Amino acid sequence: MTTALNDSVETRQSQPLKEIPALRVRDGMGGIRTFRGDQLGFLRSGIDQFGDIYRFRLLNMRVVMLNHPDYIRHVLVDKSEQYDKNAAVFRIARPVLREGLIATADMELWRRQRRMMAPYFTPRMVSKFARNMTGETVSMLERWESRPDADAPLDVTDEFGQLALRIVSRSLFNAEVGDAAQAFERAFQLANTVLGKFFSFPFPPLSFPTPSHVKLRRAIDRMDGFVSRFIQDRLDNEVAPGQEPDLLSLFLHAVDEGDGKGMDLEQLHHEVLNICVGAYETTTNTLAWAFYLLARHPEVEGKLHAELDEVLGDRTVTPEWLNRSRHALAARSR
């Protein structure tokens, strides 16, 4: 099966774009009305008709949908040099993300930035920020348990979004930024909400001063101000001896192995915002869907709780425990 899929990837990827099957939508608005009304249903209908690769148009924007890991690996890993980010979705996001890793169309810059930043996202390095993760998670759970209406439903997507942003704020700027970090989070969440609605219906352009776009611009200005102050504070005050450096300090001292130079402050500013966006959206959606699936399968949820109670007990999760328990949990599942 895997070989057949790999052959299929190579065959289809070598074909002209016009030979990829097309999902036709005629709603009088270039597909936007249908797409905005039910995005998951829209994408699912294409998969049901054509399988794991098909194309469609939204207004004048051409989109190719890939829904198999072999196809995605082909684009992002095996043939990555044949693809760039000079696409509509990245151009739309560029007013916020600028020339950071997520949206830059300059692939040489992208490769340089990735070389400098990748060493700080290895398992060993990420484990150094585990205290931020467990501390913020414990605070969230304690807040849940202390609610007057503790049995009332929670919007876990919103809760996990706040959790992800607090963890990344602490990891980037250190734990002591307090009110400034909270103000940054509020500006970020406003910008994310406006952008989310815009992506579901990308019209009029962000440059057009609608009320929501004006709010977005103000939120971005506030975020820029906070990030500039955080960077200046780190330039003026190095991390104390014996204290673990935050990501901002590490990036300030990062050097590209190719030219021996670091990133300038403007590029650092862009990367900070990109890390916030990347950490927020992906983590929030992953956790929300994981909890949704657990809720749909109570027998699996019960088994998970039993295993955690047995292996972890009342202890707080640590990277060391995670490494040990992964093998223990895998052994129990066989």
Side-chain angles (χ1 to χ4, degrees), residues 21-284:
L23 177 63
R24 307 294 182 186
V25 183
R26 294 178 175 86
D27 60 8
M29 293 185 65
I32 287 291
R33 179 185 295 163
T34 304
F35 182 76
R36 189 180 190 187
D38 182 6
Q39 293 183 24
L40 288 178
F42 179 97
L43 299 174
R44 180 78 252 178
S45 68
I47 294 170
D48 291 341
Q49 291 180 60
F50 305 115
D52 287 332
I53 181 170
Y54 63 92
R55 60 191 171 97
F56 59 91
R57 279 183 178 270
L58 294 178
L59 294 178
N60 64 342
M61 181 170 64
R62 296 191 304 174
V63 180
V64 177
M65 174 68 178
L66 306 179
N67 193 53
H68 192 281
D70 287 343
Y71 288 11
I72 295 167
R73 180 182 177 86
H74 178 95
V75 173
L76 298 182
V77 180
D78 297 338
K79 303 293 183 180
S80 60
E81 71 282 354
Q82 297 180 10
Y83 300 86
D84 61 33
K85 296 188 177 184
N86 191 24
V89 65
F90 294 115
R91 289 196 293 270
I92 289 170
R94 210 158 284 146
V96 179
L97 301 175
R98 273 68 67 94
E99 294 302 318
L101 277 173
I102 294 177
T104 182
D106 183 342
M107 297 310 291
E108 187 57 39
L109 174 64
W110 181 87
R111 283 186 281 271
R112 182 179 188 274
Q113 289 300 113
R114 194 178 187 281
R115 283 196 304 268
M116 277 196 288
M117 297 171 66
Y120 302 113
F121 291 96
T122 63
R124 184 180 66 84
M125 290 298 298
V126 170
S127 69
K128 294 184 177 183
F129 300 103
R131 192 177 305 167
N132 297 340
M133 302 173 195
T134 56
E136 290 295 340
T137 302
V138 168
S139 296
M140 180 187 72
L141 296 176
E142 290 175 345
R143 178 167 51 79
W144 287 4
E145 292 173 353
S146 63
R147 292 182 304 150
D149 53 346
D151 294 329
L154 274 168
D155 183 343
V156 293
T157 303
D158 180 64
E159 292 287 329
F160 291 147
Q162 293 182 48
L163 174 65
L165 195 52
R166 286 171 184 161
I167 290 172
V168 77
S169 295
R170 285 184 61 176
S171 301
L172 269 168
F173 311 129
N174 215 322
E176 306 303 324
V177 291
D179 293 342
Q182 294 176 16
F184 173 83
E185 291 167 13
R186 287 193 294 271
F188 176 89
Q189 288 175 319
L190 173 59
N192 190 73
T193 298
V194 175
L195 275 178
K197 292 179 179 178
F198 177 79
F199 275 114
S200 68
F201 187 68
F203 185 83
L206 289 174
S207 57
F208 193 84
T210 66
S212 63
H213 294 175
V214 171
K215 289 181 181 178
L216 173 63
R217 173 45 57 194
R218 290 173 179 168
I220 293 171
D221 288 344
R222 289 198 295 273
M223 290 162 58
D224 283 341
F226 289 128
V227 172
S228 293
R229 288 198 291 275
F230 292 146
I231 292 174
Q232 188 59 52
D233 180 70
R234 188 57 68 244
L235 289 170
D236 294 339
N237 302 286
E238 287 285 344
V239 175
Q243 183 181 1
E244 285 287 351
D246 53 28
L247 280 171
L248 189 56
S249 298
L250 295 174
F251 293 153
L252 274 169
H253 295 94
V255 174
D256 177 37
E257 62 185 20
D259 59 22
K261 299 178 181 179
M263 66 180 91
D264 60 38
L265 295 185
E266 182 180 18
Q267 187 66 39
L268 175 61
H269 190 122
H270 296 169
E271 299 300 358
V272 166
L273 291 176
N274 277 245
I275 289 172
C276 290
V277 171
Y280 178 88
E281 199 71 25
T282 54
T283 305
T284 301

Side-chain angles (χ1 to χ4, degrees), residues 287-330:
L287 287 172
W289 279 107
F291 273 64
Y292 168 80
L293 289 171
L294 286 172
R296 292 289 300 272
H297 299 279
E299 72 285 358
V300 177
E301 182 182 11
K303 181 180 178 181
L304 174 63
H305 281 289
E307 290 176 337
L308 290 174
D309 289 341
E310 179 182 349
V311 177
L312 184 60
D314 295 329
R315 291 169 293 179
T316 300
V317 177
T318 65
E320 293 74 24
W321 173 87
L322 191 60
N323 290 331
R324 290 197 303 269
S325 65
R326 184 181 294 118
H327 301 293
L329 296 178

